[in-house]
Amino acid sequence: MENKITSLAEYFQKYKESVADPDNFWGKIAESHYWRKKWDQILDYKFDGDGAPDVNWFVNGKLNITENIFERNMFMRKDQVAIIWEPNDPKEPEIKLTYGELFEKVKQFANGLKKIGVEKGDRVALYLPMVPELAIAMLACARIGAIHSIVFAGFSATALADRINDAEAKVVITSDGGFRGTKSIPLKSIADEAVEKCPSIKTQVVLKRTEEEIKWVDGRDIWWHDLIADMDYENQAETMDAEDVLFILYTSGSTGKPKGVVHTTAGYMVYAEYTFKNVFQYSDGDVYWCTADIGWVTGHSYIVYGPLLTGATSVMFEGVPTWPDAGRFWEIVDKYKINQFYTAPTAIRALVAQGDEWVTKHDLSSLKVLGTVGEPINEEAWRWYHDLVGKGRCPIVDTWWQTETGGIMITPLAGITPTKPSLATLPLPGVQPVLLDHEGKELKGNSVEGILCMKHPWPGMLRTTWGDHQRCYQTYFASFPGYYLTGDGAKRDEEGYYRIIGRIDDVINVSGHRIGTAEVEDAINQHPKVVESAVVGYPHEIKGAGIYAYVICEDMTDAELDNIEAEIKATVNKFIGPIAKPDKIQIVSGLPKTRSGKIMRRILRKIGEGDATNLGDTSTLLDPGVVEEIIDGAKVEV
Ligand code: WT7
């Protein structure tokens, strides 16, 4: 396979080359893609100064990413399976789509989108369960140059409306509902509620999945099957500029509303394919499975774009790891003879708790590579994954990256880079991480700890935040001029291996999902009885981090007090979705604030961790007494 590194010596050689001459390094990789017009220049960028960041890869190149998935692979792979879809209910039949079949469906739906007036540059919001049509819809958007904005189907109507409005999407694509385990989620009715607040939406396309009864708005709603009924399979891909926007994906930060991370066509494409084949060491004929939801960046890059660009067979799973039983993952591995398996530490920890027999009763001998993503993996979970799932023979790739990076950045190459539990190990060739101290000075050498930044662009990086370029600069480039700030702290050990420590900002990583504390506070504050709140993360055995909310309320009757926790949770559910629901809520009479009114989260974090002995300096607090009260009422196991 082209551009695949196959030995440690080659890795070090390529790494050196990529730093010495990044343009040449990336130019060679991009040669293997199909371009309508070659680029004039590999990279033109600035991280600082007027208009920054301004990052342009493959300048003036023209292409379409779907031509690189379909036309480029068609000769070899027309009859090879591209997507295997495993339904929520194991009794329902699976679906296998070859590259040829998937291509027809993408072109047909692309024509459908055109028919309802979607044009190049328009935004299309996708609010769908994990069904093949989600991949079809995103590729159809890319085919015609429309920008997809996928909203995870676990988000609430308010969260969906916020995202649709920010992107001013013209069309939303949803389904009557979605199955997850024993639950059926009424997606259409949630989308209906959202769309009432979305003046930009002209059409709502509805896929039939659960046969749930739904409401219908004539003139706005159209069934997916009706839309494609008389569409043919002829569709010429739109010519896209290398820097035309491919998609927007919303993610949380430490302040304000979620921001729309913008990825563009050529750089993202080159990076998704390069990282996929190298990290997982994918070989022709392998069956690869990433358990993520396409609503997150992992699904974008490593269920759809990376694997399909590579010409891989990619498994897509609609359900949950614990239904009908805790052996579901391993049953699927056996069923499709999965070779590369990629999941999240939170899923592994949840399965560890269910007992080993769910794993041992399935034949997992097809597995060659195991991967993790989304949060640090603790050593115990790593060992279980390595010893029990991988039988000690499968390398684990602990892949560190972010929505903003577009693809994997720091990771072992499977079977090539020697691994150590809980370490993401080394940067991929083309990636230049640095650790900075608080003054922004680069920490040289090994055995150092600091703020993880990048000192050179890579093709998959974000270009802006939708509708607010200044916010992109402020968030990622202003703190340390000339560097991209990841928001994570990291250690470089004595060998030069990276260990990711976690977020250094007010972002909580709950089950590998990024939740901004400010966002949760805003949601809690919507409850009429709430005066103020402060949210922090605390260590949680399964989720990695749980959400701990300290809340000040108005005077309440006993009956109101009895219900307040449940009501606050319901409020968060309504404004964000179940993933942001606080695990612990403590009603307090005050919050530890400095004289200037800033909440001292450090203290709240310590209390939430159950470590109130060492709170540091509290002398600057406005009312030190409040700390005692909070400690006394803290919801921690002692
Ligand atoms: C944040 C990014 C990238 C896809 C999933 C999450 C944390 C991610 C690791 C890892 C330790 C990790 C970081 C990062 N993170 N991978 N292997 N080890 N931490 O994407 O929602 O954009 O979150 O997830 O804190 O900044 P995301």
Side-chain angles (χ1 to χ4, degrees):
M1 220 173 244
E2 263 178 302
N3 299 315
K4 198 165 122 188
I5 297 164
T6 55
S7 71
L8 194 58
E10 194 188 348
Y11 162 78
F12 284 116
Q13 176 60 31
K14 286 272 187 257
Y15 192 82
K16 248 187 8 216
E17 285 172 24
S18 78
V19 175
D21 189 349
D23 283 23
N24 185 46
F25 174 81
W26 289 111
K28 274 202 230 151
I29 290 172
E31 292 281 350
S32 72
H33 289 271
Y34 172 68
W35 298 85
R36 289 200 172 178
K37 178 186 164 290
K38 248 333 220 321
W39 55 85
D40 298 332
Q41 191 186 343
I42 303 275
L43 172 65
D44 175 27
Y45 87 101
K46 61 177 176 191
F47 277 0
D48 205 36
D50 253 5
D54 185 12
V55 177
N56 305 277
W57 281 94
F58 311 108
V59 181
N60 289 329
K62 307 285 176 208
L63 73 160
N64 186 289
I65 194 167
T66 70
E67 276 186 341
N68 280 272
I69 291 174
F70 296 114
E71 280 89 342
R72 185 173 62 139
N73 282 321
M74 211 35 67
F75 178 65
M76 292 241 316
R77 306 190 193 276
K78 189 161 181 294
D79 299 318
Q80 183 201 308
V81 175
I83 291 179
I84 301 178
W85 176 72
E86 170 71 11
N88 178 59
D89 184 344
K91 291 196 214 74
E92 200 185 323
E94 73 270 10
I95 293 174
K96 291 184 178 172
L97 294 174
T98 64
Y99 274 85
E101 290 163 342
L102 181 62
F103 190 22
E104 303 241 292
K105 288 185 185 296
V106 166
K107 286 186 291 187
Q108 191 187 34
F109 193 65
N111 288 334
L113 288 176
K114 278 189 169 169
K115 187 173 126 183
I116 54 174
V118 179
E119 289 170 16
K120 180 175 176 174
D122 285 344
R123 276 78 60 205
V124 176
L126 311 187
Y127 187 66
L128 283 164
M130 280 287 285
V131 290
E133 286 81 359
L134 174 49
I136 292 165
M138 66 198 283
L139 295 170
C141 286
R143 185 85 184 164
I144 65 172
I147 299 168
H148 58 73
S149 170
I150 304 184
V151 181
F152 173 59
F155 278 119
S156 69
T158 312
L160 173 60
D162 285 348
R163 286 158 177 76
I164 289 175
N165 286 333
D166 187 77
E168 295 173 284
K170 201 176 196 176
V171 169
V172 60
I173 304 172
T174 189
S175 65
D176 48 0
F179 295 122
R180 277 178 70 73
T182 54
K183 285 191 243 160
S184 170
I185 297 139
L187 296 177
K188 168 75 161 72
S189 85
I190 301 171
D192 284 345
E193 192 190 328
V195 167
E196 271 174 31
K197 288 172 270 170
C198 301
S200 61
I201 293 288
K202 302 283 174 282
T203 311
Q204 187 168 328
V205 180
V206 187
L207 177 78
K208 194 167 264 184
R209 171 67 188 122
T210 58
E211 311 270 335
E212 178 139 353
E213 232 182 276
I214 54 171
K215 288 206 191 97
W216 199 257
V217 177
D218 282 326
R220 183 197 70 187
D221 297 350
I222 179 167
W223 283 110
W224 176 297
H225 54 263
D226 287 339
L227 179 62
I228 61 170
D230 50 1
M231 291 295 116
D232 63 27
Y233 298 119
E234 283 312 305
N235 179 286
Q236 284 300 315
E238 191 72 40
T239 303
M240 305 300 286
D241 185 82
E243 286 296 340
D244 278 341
V245 177
L246 176 64
F247 68 84
I248 307 170
L249 184 56
Y250 285 83
T251 191
S252 299
S254 44
T255 55
K257 293 226 177 246
K259 44 191 174 289
V261 167
V262 171
H263 285 289
T264 57
T265 304
Y268 176 83
M269 170 186 77
V270 169
Y271 201 68
E273 180 177 325
Y274 161 77
T275 52
F276 172 73
K277 62 172 86 156
N278 277 292
V279 173
F280 298 102
Q281 290 289 300
Y282 185 87
S283 298
D284 257 335
D286 284 348
V287 181
Y288 158 91
W289 180 23
C290 166
T291 69
D293 192 290
I294 293 176
W296 309 110
V297 75
T298 309
H300 282 62
S301 301
Y302 299 111
I303 295 177
V304 180
Y305 286 115
L308 297 184
L309 283 159
T310 305
T313 299
S314 180
V315 174
M316 184 175 169
F317 175 42
E318 185 184 30
V320 296
T322 48
W323 189 79
D325 61 49
R328 188 71 193 276
F329 272 4
W330 321 120
E331 182 195 316
I332 297 171
V333 167
D334 187 12
K335 181 173 178 187
Y336 299 116
K337 305 291 169 226
I338 303 290
N339 302 115
Q340 291 89 3
F341 176 75
Y342 191 30
T343 196
T346 186
I348 298 169
R349 288 192 299 265
L351 293 175
V352 172
Q354 304 277 330
D356 294 359
E357 60 280 8
W358 295 110
V359 184
T360 50
K361 69 176 176 195
H362 296 281
D363 176 7
L364 306 182
S365 58
S366 59
L367 288 173
K368 297 197 283 194
V369 174
L370 301 173
T372 70
V373 59
E375 49 179 320
I377 178 164
N378 49 307
E379 186 153 349
E380 190 197 346
W382 194 97
R383 295 252 171 242
W384 184 87
Y385 199 31
H386 183 263
D387 297 347
L388 196 73
V389 177
K391 308 285 181 279
R393 19 165 227 95
C394 303
I396 294 181
V397 288
D398 175 351
T399 63
W400 175 86
W401 58 297
Q402 310 178 291
T403 303
E404 295 86 343
T405 69
I408 297 168
M409 301 284 281
I410 303 180
T411 177
L413 300 178
I416 293 174
T417 316
T419 58
K420 289 193 222 173
S422 309
L423 275 83
T425 74
L426 298 170
L428 284 169
V431 172
Q432 297 188 35
V434 289
L435 297 177
L436 304 185
D437 68 12
H438 285 278
E439 274 73 58
K441 200 162 80 13
E442 274 186 39
L443 300 166
K444 302 284 184 190
N446 291 338
S447 304
V448 287
E449 178 176 336
I451 301 161
L452 181 63
C453 292
M454 299 293 152
K455 70 187 282 178
H456 190 275
W458 63 100
M461 72 183 292
L462 89 164
R463 301 298 195 266
T464 186
T465 45
W466 185 260
D468 193 351
H469 192 58
Q470 194 52 28
R471 189 168 180 202
C472 177
Y473 178 73
Q474 279 306 330
T475 310
Y476 306 104
F477 297 92
S479 311
F480 302 109
Y483 297 94
Y484 164 81
L485 170 69
T486 66
D488 281 319
K491 270 184 190 162
R492 193 160 54 227
D493 78 359
E494 61 291 348
E495 265 188 279
Y497 273 26
Y498 287 86
R499 178 198 287 274
I500 308 302
I501 298 165
R503 304 289 309 190
I504 52 167
D505 51 11
D506 289 323
V507 168
I508 316 177
N509 197 329
V510 182
S511 299
H513 302 315
R514 243 157 93 172
I515 314 273
T517 52
E519 229 183 304
V520 183
E521 289 163 5
D522 284 348
I524 293 174
N525 298 348
Q526 303 289 332
H527 189 284
K529 286 280 169 194
V530 171
V531 177
E532 196 181 1
S533 61
V535 163
V536 296
Y538 72 95
H540 185 288
E541 218 176 302
I542 305 284
K543 299 179 179 181
I547 299 177
Y548 196 135
Y550 301 88
V551 185
I552 306 175
C553 291
E554 287 171 11
D555 282 342
M556 286 184 288
T557 63
D558 285 351
E560 284 173 331
L561 199 58
D562 284 346
N563 290 330
I564 190 71
E565 279 192 31
E567 285 181 19
I568 288 174
K569 286 184 184 176
T571 306
V572 175
N573 233 346
K574 173 165 185 273
F575 284 94
I576 308 174
I579 52 169
K581 232 181 348 193
D583 299 274
K584 296 181 179 181
I585 296 173
Q586 182 180 348
I587 307 299
V588 296
S589 69
L591 292 165
K593 286 190 183 170
T594 60
R595 274 169 237 276
S596 59
K598 196 170 172 302
I599 297 171
M600 291 189 78
R601 284 165 204 284
R602 179 178 55 79
I603 291 177
L604 295 175
R605 243 180 256 128
K606 279 274 181 201
I607 297 174
E609 281 166 18
D611 176 17
T613 49
N614 183 17
L615 293 179
D617 183 13
T618 55
S619 62
T620 57
L621 286 180
L622 196 58
D623 172 15
V626 80
V627 174
E628 288 307 315
E629 179 214 304
I630 296 175
I631 294 172
D632 285 343
K635 302 205 165 178
V636 291
E637 294 79 37
V638 274

